[in-house]
Amino acid sequence: MTAPPPLPAPVAAAVVTLARELAARPFQAPDATRLAALGLGRRELAAAERAGTLLRVTEGVVLLPGAEERAAELLAALPQPFTLSEARQALRTTRRVAVPLLELLDRRRLTRRLPDDRRAVV
């Protein structure tokens, strides 16, 4: 498999800025307004994801690579099983981010959704 082409300079600079912002608050994904202000539209986000510099959790929710593993570590410290609300509080994020992030964790088998909508870290 060949490496993805390097990011254009403006996109790389925007990703660096976003990475700085997410360093302090790793699960507070920027909203569409912030992404647009950084010049990160759909095409730019797709390029950054292919380059491995951003993790697209879902359309409109981007985090840094490795965020899913970090989230699983934090969630493992909660009493198991846990609710969406408990996960949201532990990750210090919003429902807009927590729901798709938990779904991603389920797909990657880092968490398991239980019949009562609670989850457990695998």
Side-chain angles (χ1 to χ4, degrees):
M1 186 165 118
T2 61
L7 292 174
V11 176
V15 169
V16 167
T17 299
L18 184 56
R20 275 193 217 113
E21 293 173 6
L22 286 170
R25 303 177 322 261
F27 303 106
Q28 291 187 9
D31 62 15
T33 303
R34 180 64 184 142
L35 292 173
L38 289 169
L40 294 172
R42 187 174 294 159
R43 215 173 309 148
E44 294 82 6
L45 289 171
E49 182 180 28
R50 279 191 307 274
T53 58
L54 287 179
L55 168 68
R56 189 175 352 191
V57 177
T58 190
E59 192 68 32
V61 177
V62 294
L63 299 172
L64 295 178
E68 66 272 42
E69 289 90 1
R70 178 71 182 123
E73 289 172 15
L74 291 170
L75 296 173
L78 293 175
Q80 303 291 311
F82 56 88
T83 64
L84 167 64
S85 178
E86 291 166 336
R88 186 188 56 72
Q89 291 172 27
L91 299 174
R92 296 166 60 187
T93 191
T94 63
R95 186 176 175 87
R96 174 184 75 87
V97 175
V99 169
L101 180 57
L102 287 173
E103 290 170 353
L104 175 67
L105 295 176
D106 292 344
R107 285 192 306 275
R108 297 209 175 155
R109 293 183 164 75
L110 296 171
T111 57
R112 184 179 71 245
R113 187 172 183 175
L114 304 174
D116 63 1
D117 281 339
R118 292 182 302 159
R119 285 180 166 83
V121 174
V122 177

